[in-house]
Structure formats: structure tokens, C-alpha cells
Amino acid sequence: MPLAMTQALRHYLTITGNYWLFTLTDGAIRMLVVLHFYQLGYSPFAIAMLFLFYEFFGIVTNLVGGWLGARIGLNRTMQVGTGLQIVALLMLTVPDAWLTVVYVMLAQALSGIAKDLNKMSAKAGVKLVAREGNAQLFRWVAWITGSKNALKGAGFFLGAVLLAALGFQGAMGLLAALLGVGFLMTLTLPGGFGAIKGKSGFRQMFSREPLINWLAAARLFLFGARDVWFVVALPVFLVSIGWDFHWVGAYLALWVIGYGLVQSAAPWLLGARRSKAGRHPGNNGDGASDGPRDGPGARTAVAWSFALVLPLGALLLAIASGQTAGWMITLGLAFFGVVFALNSATHSYLVLRYSADEKASQNVGFYYAANAGGRLLGTVLSGASYQWLGIAGSLGFALAFVMIAGLLSLRLVALESGLSGDGGHAVE
């Protein structure tokens, strides 16, 4: 109905707007911390350790946050996440003498909790407001994810610019004020948005659905493959070969912006069609589609996972032959970003397609806990592998991880086929 559609779109735009502002600050924080503490003389491994709690508490938050969202509503978890990020930003406005490793790790722990509460709430919220079938779900998920990543890239550049213009503490204060606008936006969402009727047991935060479990395992290694070179290794490598902070920030910003744009275009690039059935995906509770094929399936995830071998393999061969020019590394990783974006968009859609409405927040929480686990693994190895093995070591770990992600995704194909063969609705 027109009124319902208008309300659904309004809620979607509110969720997206808050997510945009949050992501802009999150990207800026990441670049500010890396560059500022490199200026202060921290080693690559020590810089990676500053993000240890950020990633670790992301795992915990996604597990608990999905359960919490099902009990109190996604509007509340989004508000808590936004508020905690403001507190984390203000914690980093103190003088440099206070910015010990432990103190910064604690601030980053709050930021990690905030980020994953906000992300889980936004992604699960899209599942609840997309009511025109799988094609709309894929388009809306791709758009909120892709635009978010484009803004995260803009946040990297913003962080580098603010560091030069306002200094570390001034930049953090400005970002906190900006995010206050996002907090006010969340107050317009309806109370109890996304909460389920009845009690949701705490043990239900762990998924018991095979499709979700295998997808989460693949996601862990997929994002480990990105962060193992992206978080510390690449920016430190580029600075070490003579790039200044502005150029490093600009490249990382352009990489993430391009990645986000490709994600947003994924429904068009992968040929998704509008559903004729018009029913909401996964409502039958078996993780299968209720309509014709109108979005990617497991075979797409497998194909794009193994496609990541090409840019990584080419870069490692070039480095082995003595080619370590900055333009070559950055060009190869730009190609990696295009392929990775299509893979990530497929994954982000599949976790919602495999989930029934009443399990959306819990499944999304569990799935993004695996995502945070991959980021934690990649972050730690990014500093360690670069410090001891150089950029080639970081790329070597990435190659191993994408191979593992592809092999794990093969199991999804068998599970989808099993659903179809047992009389269920095929999801591929």
C-alpha cells in the first residue's frame, strides 16, 4: 500500500543516514590513529595492537547485539551504538601524554562495540523494511553497504585532512559533534523496531542453521584476506617508500570509495531481477527463496572468492621478480578491490536471504561476529606479517585466506542443492 511503502522508505532512509554519518567518523578514526601514532614513532605491530580490542569486542558485540536487538529493538541498539561512538571520540581528545597504548585500546574497544551494534542494527533493519521480494532486498542491501563503504573511504581522506588541519584532538572533537546529528536521527525510528514477541534465549545468539554457519566461516577468511594487507601493511609500506600522509589517505579513500561504488552497483553487475512472486525472502524459515531466482546464490560466492586469487597471485609473482613500485602494488590492489566488492555484496545479501524475519537480527549478529573475527585476525597479522615479512608476506597471507574462503563457500552450493532436492525452494 502507498502509505506502508512510504513508511518503509522513510525508515530505510533514516537507518541509512545514521549509518552514513557513523561510517564517516569510523573511517576517519582509523586513519587518524594509524597516521598519528606512526608519527609518534610506534612500530607497525604496535599500531596494529591499538586496534586489537576494537576487533575483539566487535566479535562479542555482534553475538550479543543480535540477541539484544531481538529483545529490545533495533532502534535501541542503534542508539546505544551511536552514543558509545561519541564517547569513544571524546576519549581521544585528551592530550598526547594521556594517549598510552592501554588507554587508546580501551577507547577503541568502545568504538568497536559501537560500530558493530550500529552495523548489525542497520543491516537487520533493512531486512525488515524491504518488502518487495529478493530483488529489492538485494538492491537495498547493496546500496546501504556500498554507500557506507564509499563514505568510509571518504572518512579515511577526511581523517588525513583533519589531522593536518586540526591536529589529532581537534579532529576527534569535530567528529563527535558530527555524529551527534546521527544520534538525533535514530530517535525518529519506532519503538521496539525489530524486537520479536516472546523471549529470545541467550544461547540462540549462536546460529544453528548450516547455511548461516558456512557462510560465516567463509566471511571470516574473506575479510581476513583484505585486512591483512589493508589495515597496517599497505599504509606503512606506502609511507616507507616516500608517499606523504595526504597521498596515503587519498589512495585508501579512493580504494574504499571505489569498493563501495562497485558494491552499490552489484545488483546491476550481477544481473539481479525483480521478483515476480512479491513475497519476502526466507519467510518460510528454511533459508530458501519463495520466488524465482532474482539474486545471487552460493555459486556466485564461490566464483568471486576464487577470482581473488588472480590479482594477489600476479602481485606476488611481480614482487618475487623484484618489482616493488608503489604504482604496481596500488594498481593490483585496486583490481582486488573490484572483485572483493562483488564478493562482499553477495555475502551481505545471502545472510539476509537465508534468514527468516524473526531470526534476522540474531543471524546477522552471528554472521558479523565472524566478519569481526576475520578483521581481528587480519589486523593482527597485518602488523606482524609486514614487520617480519614485508608487503609480500601480508599478500601471501591474503592469498591463503581467499583460497580457504572459496573452499568453504563450496559447501554452500551443496546445502542449497540439498534444500532443492528435498522438496524445498531452491535459493540458487
Side-chain angles (χ1 to χ4, degrees):
M1 299 193 314
L3 180 60
M5 286 302 299
T6 301
Q7 185 181 59
L9 182 59
R10 185 169 63 250
H11 292 336
Y12 175 72
L13 293 176
T14 299
I15 292 167
T16 302
N18 171 264
Y19 201 30
W20 281 354
L21 288 172
F22 190 100
T23 300
L24 190 66
T25 65
D26 193 53
I29 292 172
R30 177 62 61 107
M31 188 54 54
L32 281 161
V33 170
V34 170
L35 296 181
H36 183 64
F37 283 88
Y38 185 73
Q39 278 183 317
L40 294 178
Y42 282 62
S43 71
F45 184 69
I47 294 172
M49 289 301 98
L50 295 175
F51 298 105
L52 182 65
F53 282 179
Y54 176 93
E55 304 297 355
F56 173 76
F57 281 99
I59 301 173
V60 177
T61 302
N62 275 300
L63 289 173
V64 177
W67 168 79
L68 190 63
R71 291 184 68 90
I72 68 173
L74 298 173
N75 60 313
R76 293 287 180 257
T77 52
M78 184 173 286
Q79 289 159 8
V80 171
T82 306
L84 285 176
Q85 181 78 326
I86 294 172
V87 172
L89 285 161
L90 293 175
M91 284 181 67
L92 296 175
T93 61
V94 299
D96 280 346
W98 292 25
L99 295 176
T100 64
V101 171
V102 173
Y103 182 84
V104 176
M105 287 177 73
L106 289 174
Q108 287 294 289
L110 278 183
S111 186
I113 294 169
K115 185 260 293 182
D116 284 294
L117 274 178
N118 194 279
K119 179 167 68 174
M120 180 279 299
S121 304
K123 295 292 181 70
V126 172
K127 170 75 173 182
L128 300 179
V129 298
R131 291 290 172 181
E132 288 189 344
N134 288 340
Q136 185 193 59
L137 179 63
F138 189 26
R139 290 195 305 272
W140 281 16
V141 169
W143 171 250
I144 193 173
T145 304
S147 61
K148 178 268 294 186
N149 282 312
L151 280 169
K152 188 164 189 176
F156 288 157
F157 183 68
L158 178 64
V161 170
L162 290 179
L163 181 61
L166 301 177
F168 187 75
Q169 288 79 5
M172 292 297 177
L174 180 61
L175 293 173
L178 179 65
L179 193 54
V181 177
F183 181 82
L184 293 176
M185 293 177 66
T186 66
L187 300 179
T188 66
L189 290 172
F193 179 66
I196 64 173
K197 296 178 180 179
K199 293 185 177 180
S200 174
F202 189 68
R203 66 180 181 179
Q204 292 178 2
M205 67 183 185
F206 297 99
S207 178
R208 288 174 289 178
E209 301 173 31
L211 281 164
I212 300 296
N213 291 336
W214 285 96
L215 184 66
R219 182 79 171 192
L220 186 152
F221 286 98
L222 181 67
F223 269 74
R226 184 198 66 178
D227 282 7
V228 73
W229 59 263
F230 187 85
V231 174
V232 176
L234 182 64
V236 172
F237 168 75
L238 293 177
V239 170
S240 73
I241 62 173
W243 288 36
D244 64 31
F245 291 157
H246 290 86
W247 283 109
V248 173
Y251 174 77
L252 294 177
L254 288 173
W255 191 95
V256 179
I257 290 169
Y259 163 66
L261 292 175
V262 173
Q263 276 189 312
S264 297
W268 176 73
L269 294 171
L270 298 178
R273 301 191 298 269
R274 182 177 295 276
S275 173
K276 297 178 182 178
R279 292 182 60 192
H280 198 50
N283 279 345
N284 56 9
D286 63 2
S289 170
D290 294 311
R293 184 186 185 277
D294 47 14
R299 290 186 179 88
T300 304
V302 171
W304 288 110
S305 292
F306 284 122
L308 288 169
V309 171
L310 297 176
L312 292 172
L315 281 174
L316 286 169
L317 287 174
I319 292 171
S321 65
Q323 303 296 319
T324 57
W327 69 266
M328 182 199 68
I329 301 292
T330 53
L331 183 62
L333 291 176
F335 180 61
F336 175 98
V338 173
V339 180
F340 184 85
L342 293 172
N343 205 327
S344 179
T346 299
H347 275 226
S348 296
Y349 163 70
L350 287 177
V351 68
L352 296 179
R353 185 169 182 170
Y354 292 159
S355 299
D357 278 359
E358 65 273 11
K359 296 182 180 179
S361 66
Q362 291 164 309
N363 283 346
V364 169
F366 175 78
Y367 170 76
Y368 280 107
N371 186 95
R375 290 173 59 89
L376 173 62
L377 179 63
T379 296
V380 173
L381 285 176
S382 186
S385 64
Y386 182 78
Q387 184 164 327
W388 294 313
L389 300 173
I391 193 68
S394 300
L395 295 174
F397 274 106
L399 179 61
F401 285 175
V402 298
M403 291 292 293
I404 295 172
L407 292 172
L408 290 169
S409 299
L410 286 171
R411 180 61 181 159
L412 295 174
V413 178
L415 289 169
E416 286 187 355
S417 299
L419 285 174
S420 179
D422 291 339
H425 300 282
V427 291
E428 176 73 338

